Amino acid sequence: ANLGFAKTPEWNLMILSLGVNVANNSFNLEQYNRYNGTFLSAEDKQTIMNLIPDDGFNGSISANLIGLGVSWRNFAFTVSGRGTSDLFLPKDPIQAIFFGNEINDTVVLSGSDGNAFASVEFGLSYGRSIWKKTDYELFAGASVRVIRGLVNQEIKESEGEVITLETGVEGEADFLVRSAEGGLGYGIDLGLNLKYKENWTIGLSCLDLLNRINWNRNTKEKVYQVRIDSLLAENFDSDSLVIEESYSQPIVHFTTHLPLLLQAGVSYQLRKTILAFDLRQGQTSGMGQTTKTSASVGAEHQLYHWLNLRGGISLGENEGITIAQGLGINVGIYHLDLAIANQNGVWPTKSK
């Protein structure tokens, strides 16, 4: 939301802003490079299994892009895009792939989950001062976004199991995926900001407080079915023993909602340094967001009139500990901001 602070420039132009997040709950980059594409010994396989939590492997990738942002006085207009992809796999099937099954062992395939989403959004924001008294001033703002959905895919059902018998491997699995290739919707954000004197700022925002996307283009469900009957090593190549079926069918238009996010923060301005503390609480999960609380502390210091140094640490959500560093370069009316965040590690090769 554009809160329309009194001392902000009359107009601003943002040409490009891009943020990308790649994360998982098991491996850091160094471990991935060590094991990927190499022969795995029994010890290597056990090490990999020990890195995966008991509830399974979770990986995600998300990106946020602001292609254009223009603000004038109390108004702002933005053209942005976002995309997310999440995948969850139970640990049992991974264990079976590495070590195989013993007689009468059952591998549960249920619980797999995943989704992918992409959209382009056009937002209009307005903010202004709504109350002022002595050293206090309260600002309020709101943003209304038109959301053009590009892609939506989601695993709606996953169930099945594989059992190893003396007569061979038997089992079945069913997966139902719902998808769409276009939709239209809206989103509304609200924000409040209280300034005390020239030093303190307290903020509260609610992102996607009201929202919905009606998916109405090429909506369909696709069903994947796998049947295994008495599969042995000597007849592994027999097509009749493993039956794979898949079919898709058009479905009626459907509606989805973006996850609601609450944010609160406080900052203190010193002469050349800003200290900040933030809390994030997702009210619903999905699309790269969880319902776990995260807390962040950070600082920005103006080293020179053209160079700002930034750093911070965050705890919570799915990332555990996240350490971030960045800098801001200011040359005349031009500003360039760069930052990197490492999850569960100080260096990129140690992060997940």
Side-chain angles (χ1 to χ4, degrees), residues 210-221:
L210 299 173
N211 73 86
R212 63 179 291 163
I213 303 175
N214 180 38
W215 298 94
N216 53 16
R217 182 179 177 186
N218 199 18
T219 54
K220 61 184 179 181
E221 285 184 343

Side-chain angles (χ1 to χ4, degrees), residues 67-80:
L68 176 66
V70 180
S71 66
W72 176 72
R73 295 185 178 178
N74 293 35
F75 295 91
F77 173 75
T78 57
V79 179
S80 61

Side-chain angles (χ1 to χ4, degrees), residues 186-321:
Y186 65 88
I188 297 176
D189 308 325
L190 298 178
L192 291 172
N193 208 300
L194 177 66
K195 293 187 71 68
Y196 173 62
K197 294 185 176 180
E198 295 296 323
N199 305 102
W200 291 95
T201 302
I202 301 173
L204 175 66
S205 65
C206 184
L207 305 183
D208 291 308
L209 175 63
L210 299 173
N211 73 86
R212 63 179 291 163
I213 303 175
N214 180 38
W215 298 94
N216 53 16
R217 182 179 177 186
N218 199 18
T219 54
K220 61 184 179 181
E221 285 184 343
K222 193 164 188 177
V223 176
Y224 299 88
Q225 297 177 325
V226 180
R227 302 290 182 267
I228 304 173
D229 185 15
S230 302
L231 180 64
L232 297 171
E234 53 267 28
N235 59 15
F236 185 80
D237 294 329
S238 176
D239 293 337
S240 62
L241 297 179
V242 179
I243 305 172
E244 299 181 14
E245 298 179 358
S246 65
Y247 63 89
S248 63
Q249 59 184 11
I251 60 174
V252 298
H253 303 168
F254 60 90
T255 299
T256 61
H257 297 273
L258 300 174
L260 172 62
L261 175 64
L262 297 178
Q263 296 183 130
V266 58
S267 67
Y268 182 73
Q269 173 79 60
L270 299 170
R271 191 170 68 90
K272 289 188 176 183
T273 303
I274 299 176
L275 305 176
F277 173 77
D278 290 286
L279 286 174
R280 288 166 50 96
Q281 176 64 63
Q283 300 301 298
T284 52
S285 60
M287 299 182 184
Q289 180 176 297
T290 76
T291 55
K292 297 180 180 179
T293 304
S294 71
S296 307
V297 293
E300 175 182 279
H301 177 70
Q302 184 182 26
L303 188 63
Y304 302 106
H305 70 277
W306 56 271
L307 179 63
N308 292 350
L309 301 181
R310 301 169 182 137
I313 184 171
S314 175
L315 303 174
E317 291 188 325
N318 283 338
E319 289 79 20
I321 300 176

Side-chain angles (χ1 to χ4, degrees), residues 2-219:
N2 183 35
L3 295 177
F5 290 134
K7 294 186 178 181
T8 56
E10 185 175 24
W11 72 277
N12 278 292
L13 174 65
M14 178 184 293
I15 300 297
L16 179 66
S17 174
L18 174 64
V20 178
N21 181 53
V22 181
N24 75 92
N25 65 347
S26 303
F27 315 110
N28 61 38
L29 183 59
E30 181 180 289
Q31 293 163 340
Y32 174 82
N33 291 333
R34 181 189 308 160
Y35 296 117
N36 183 44
T38 63
F39 175 79
L40 298 177
S41 65
E43 183 179 357
D44 292 335
K45 295 176 182 179
Q46 189 58 57
T47 300
I48 293 173
M49 292 306 303
N50 292 339
L51 293 172
I52 301 175
D54 291 338
D55 57 352
F57 172 83
N58 184 61
S60 66
I61 180 171
S62 62
N64 291 276
L65 169 69
I66 298 179
L68 176 66
V70 180
S71 66
W72 176 72
R73 295 185 178 178
N74 293 35
F75 295 91
F77 173 75
T78 57
V79 179
S80 61
R82 71 166 110 177
T84 65
S85 180
D86 295 285
L87 176 66
F88 173 78
L89 296 174
K91 195 170 183 176
D92 276 1
I94 304 175
Q95 176 90 18
I97 291 173
F98 279 167
F99 298 103
N101 287 359
E102 296 183 0
I103 300 298
N104 295 325
D105 269 359
T106 299
V107 177
V108 178
L109 303 178
S110 304
S112 299
D113 195 11
N115 63 76
F117 168 82
S119 69
V120 175
E121 305 179 5
F122 305 88
L124 180 63
S125 305
Y126 176 78
R128 58 166 295 173
S129 172
I130 60 173
W131 177 79
K132 187 174 183 180
K133 183 178 180 181
T134 315
D135 294 327
Y136 296 88
E137 188 168 9
L138 181 64
F139 299 84
S143 295
V144 178
R145 308 188 320 278
V146 176
I147 303 173
R148 178 62 180 174
L150 302 178
V151 175
N152 185 290
Q153 290 189 335
E154 182 180 4
I155 298 176
K156 300 298 294 181
E157 296 179 11
S158 64
E159 57 183 19
E161 63 181 22
V162 175
I163 184 171
T164 303
L165 304 173
E166 294 183 359
T167 55
V169 177
E170 298 183 358
E172 60 181 28
D174 296 277
F175 299 93
L176 173 63
V177 179
R178 186 178 69 176
S179 65
E181 296 180 358
L184 189 63
Y186 65 88
I188 297 176
D189 308 325
L190 298 178
L192 291 172
N193 208 300
L194 177 66
K195 293 187 71 68
Y196 173 62
K197 294 185 176 180
E198 295 296 323
N199 305 102
W200 291 95
T201 302
I202 301 173
L204 175 66
S205 65
C206 184
L207 305 183
D208 291 308
L209 175 63
L210 299 173
N211 73 86
R212 63 179 291 163
I213 303 175
N214 180 38
W215 298 94
N216 53 16
R217 182 179 177 186
N218 199 18
T219 54

